[in-house]
Amino acid sequence: MRLRRALLALLTAVGLVCAGASLGAGQAAAAAAFPNTVVPAPVSETANGSTFALTSTATLSSDDANVGGYLAGVLRASTGFPLPLTVGSSRPGSIALELSGAPSTVGTEGYQLTATATGVVVQANQPAGLFHGVQTLLQLLPPAVMGSTVNPGPWTVPGGTVVDYPRFEHRGAMLDVARHFFTVAQVERYIDELALYKIDYLHLHLSDDQGWRIAVNSWPNLAVHGGSTEVGGGPGGYYTQADYSAIVAYAASRYLTVVPEIDMPGHTNAALASYAQLNCNGVAPPLYTGTNVGFSSLCVSLPLTYTFIDQVIGELAALTPGPYIHIGGDEASSTPASDYATFISHAQQIVAAHGKAVVGWHDIANTTLLPSTVAQYWGTTATDAAVASAAANGTKVVMSPANLAYLDMKYTRKTRLGQNWAGYIDVNKAYGWNPGSYLSGVGESSVLGVEAPLWTETIVTSADIDYMAFPRLPAIAELGWSPWSTHSVTGFHQRLGAQGPRWKTMGVSYYHSTEVTWPSGS
Ligand code: TNX
């Protein structure tokens, strides 16, 4: 018995056993408890019983200037401490961020965090891993650390070791800036919120029937006319190419990669309204400010259509450092099926010619796909023959089932914002599915990851975004990051509850789901 306990203690110490998950109740009591406050749940957490206290004399060191600067910015604002930062110093600070010493198993995005009475060390192989480790560190500090004004603390971190890395490489969030336009500052605010939960892809839905949101130099009227309205008839707006680049750079500073979407051949009324010559009949339709879908289509038989796509994708690809261009492809109900297949084939070739891989809504699975093309599943059932057969042929899938992962679905019948065509989605539903086994015939090895889309027919302000994304976005983020072995509804409720005071401190107007106990005052 003593030997067994010693062995477990040893395994725990080297991070091979997750304290909460793998030890029996009696044995867990023998180990110091680690607070269950981090979302997404880390791969392994081992408490050592000590406590680190950040004080006014503390120093920071970082092998990466960006991650060090980010952490210093957050900590200085709320603690008021000077926290001098040295970059690449050989003398570690009280908090040291190091691009060395991490186990190779944590890969490019993972990290190891060790807190003792004397300091905190985060080690990673890449800056993205350091950044994710910093997010965990912030979640181990009291919620007031997220404030923008000075708070008295105390600023303690529970002692222990966290070894952590993602289950899936793709953990995305989509924002529809077409139905309602959101400014660069609003998108950056959302990026900051997503980064807290280790999201690594921001998919921007840049065009739809109601608006075209990115300036294209070779087709200027797309933004000028096509971007001039939105759902409900408001003024809309668009990103200049400099604006878009600023979003891409801001996302990169938080280790998110932007996936820009130009939806086609359907969802194209704004483009068709901007250029009469793109229409089969040569007549530009009026701008559209309603919320119907499926009525518009690019003209598949028109050679100019492909010149248009080539130029639009060419400019967008040049502005986009990430590997993907999303071509939409959903709900093309006014495009005949054979035309649709022809179109998707051309569009894939064009994207490939500009050096990018295609992502498309899973409707494209009915056509012949390039090996690099990714299908994004948005269906409401756990079976889809076309997606299963594409997966069998090697197509990778991003999972966004509308009835589980759509952030624009109402939480309950009473939710003021959102839609309900895919049902109601409260926390337990958003959290209660396994992306690696949910869709039949699409196993773990076919799944690139998850994405939580936020369509914005009913979403107008940043407060609206916050209300629909929180607390469900963290549920999807945990499904994408945490090993399935950590999956626990009660455990998740506790972790999620711990986020409430943080959101309160940050001014994030989240939905107080009755499925979760939120700390009083949050
Ligand atoms: C379906 S999901 C759409 C969008 C709508 C959304 C509203 C998908 C690929 N297409 O055009 O905005 O429903 O929930």
Side-chain angles (χ1 to χ4, degrees):
M1 186 58 203
R2 192 180 293 164
L3 188 67
R4 210 187 117 156
R5 198 177 299 158
L7 188 63
L8 270 170
L10 185 69
L11 288 174
T12 305
V14 298
L16 292 175
V17 172
C18 173
S22 303
L23 297 181
Q27 291 146 345
F34 207 86
N36 180 35
T37 57
V38 177
V39 179
V43 171
S44 84
E45 309 170 299
T46 313
N48 63 20
S50 69
T51 301
F52 170 72
L54 187 74
T55 61
S56 61
T57 56
T59 57
L60 307 180
S61 65
S62 179
D63 288 342
D64 182 88
N66 180 58
V67 183
Y70 172 91
L71 179 61
V74 175
L75 294 180
R76 286 174 190 154
S78 52
T79 64
F81 300 155
L83 297 170
L85 167 67
T86 49
V87 174
S89 131
S90 57
R91 235 200 273 157
S94 329
I95 297 178
L97 311 179
E98 302 175 346
L99 285 172
S100 62
S104 61
T105 46
V106 306
T108 55
E109 287 201 276
Y111 62 91
Q112 174 171 270
L113 181 156
T114 310
T116 62
T118 52
V120 177
V121 184
V122 182
Q123 296 165 313
N125 299 312
Q126 297 289 333
L130 274 190
F131 185 76
H132 295 143
V134 159
Q135 296 306 336
T136 296
L137 172 58
L138 291 173
Q139 291 192 29
L140 292 172
L141 280 156
V145 78
M146 302 312 291
S148 50
T149 54
V150 175
N151 191 283
W155 305 106
T156 56
V157 178
T161 299
V162 177
V163 179
D164 199 17
Y165 48 87
R167 174 181 178 189
F168 293 111
E169 68 176 66
H170 193 112
R171 305 172 308 279
M174 186 211 79
L175 183 63
D176 170 10
V177 296
R179 270 48 177 277
H180 279 99
F181 181 66
F182 295 88
T183 63
V184 173
Q186 288 177 302
V187 175
E188 290 179 352
R189 173 188 165 92
Y190 197 40
I191 288 169
D192 278 336
E193 295 171 356
L194 298 173
L196 303 177
Y197 299 100
K198 303 183 174 78
I199 294 292
D200 66 341
Y201 281 94
L202 174 67
H203 167 186
L204 287 176
H205 185 74
L206 289 169
S207 69
D208 213 302
D209 291 318
Q210 299 87 347
W212 185 285
R213 307 300 180 202
I214 175 80
V216 178
N217 296 331
S218 47
W219 297 77
N221 218 30
L222 291 170
V224 172
H225 184 64
S228 67
T229 193
E230 59 190 353
V231 166
Y238 64 88
Y239 306 121
T240 64
Q241 294 198 350
D243 288 340
Y244 175 78
S245 294
I247 292 172
V248 166
Y250 194 85
S253 78
R254 271 68 171 138
Y255 304 92
L256 279 87
T257 299
V258 170
V259 179
E261 177 184 355
I262 300 296
D263 203 346
M264 52 186 137
H267 291 277
T268 43
N269 189 76
L272 296 167
S274 304
Y275 286 97
Q277 63 267 40
L278 288 176
N279 294 270
C280 285
N281 65 1
V283 179
L287 291 170
Y288 181 70
T289 61
T291 60
N292 289 339
V293 295
F295 61 89
S296 57
S297 179
L298 290 174
C299 188
V300 173
S301 59
L302 197 67
L304 184 67
T305 295
Y306 304 98
T307 308
F308 168 75
I309 298 172
D310 184 51
Q311 293 179 333
V312 168
I313 299 294
E315 289 191 34
L316 199 54
L319 295 167
T320 302
Y324 298 117
I325 300 282
H326 201 305
I327 62 166
D330 57 315
E331 300 175 319
S333 30
S334 0
T335 317
S338 66
D339 277 7
Y340 180 80
T342 305
F343 179 88
I344 295 297
S345 164
H346 281 310
Q348 289 183 94
Q349 298 297 341
I350 288 168
V351 171
H354 290 290
K356 301 295 181 187
V358 165
V359 186
W361 297 107
H362 78 266
D363 316 45
I364 65 168
N366 288 305
T367 72
T368 306
L369 302 180
L370 292 179
S372 58
T373 294
V374 172
Q376 182 170 7
Y377 184 68
W378 64 279
T380 55
T381 58
T383 46
D384 186 295
V387 177
S389 106
N393 283 325
T395 297
K396 297 284 191 251
V397 180
V398 169
M399 293 296 296
S400 306
N403 56 323
L404 302 167
Y406 266 32
L407 300 179
D408 66 315
M409 290 303 121
K410 292 174 183 286
Y411 292 94
T412 71
R413 201 171 46 79
K414 291 190 179 150
T415 309
R416 178 179 57 89
L417 301 167
Q419 310 205 49
N420 64 1
W421 66 263
Y424 299 103
I425 308 178
D426 209 328
V427 168
N428 292 349
K429 202 161 169 194
Y431 182 71
W433 59 287
N434 184 343
S437 61
Y438 173 73
L439 194 55
S440 71
V442 182
E444 181 105 8
S445 64
S446 296
V447 175
L448 261 192
V450 294
E451 187 177 292
L454 180 49
W455 300 99
T456 60
E457 286 93 335
T458 67
I459 307 302
V460 182
T461 64
S462 283
D464 293 348
I465 292 176
D466 289 352
Y467 188 78
M468 299 307 269
F470 295 92
R472 292 179 293 193
L473 181 278
I476 304 301
E478 178 155 320
L479 295 181
W481 178 280
S482 306
W484 189 250
S485 58
T486 65
H487 194 88
S488 152
V489 178
T490 48
F492 182 64
H493 284 177
Q494 204 189 336
R495 291 190 281 285
L496 200 55
Q499 309 307 305
R502 289 168 188 275
W503 298 333
K504 167 99 174 174
T505 301
M506 293 165 62
V508 172
S509 54
Y510 65 103
Y511 168 65
H512 289 65
S513 167
T514 55
E515 294 176 350
V516 176
T517 305
W518 305 100
S520 69
S522 71

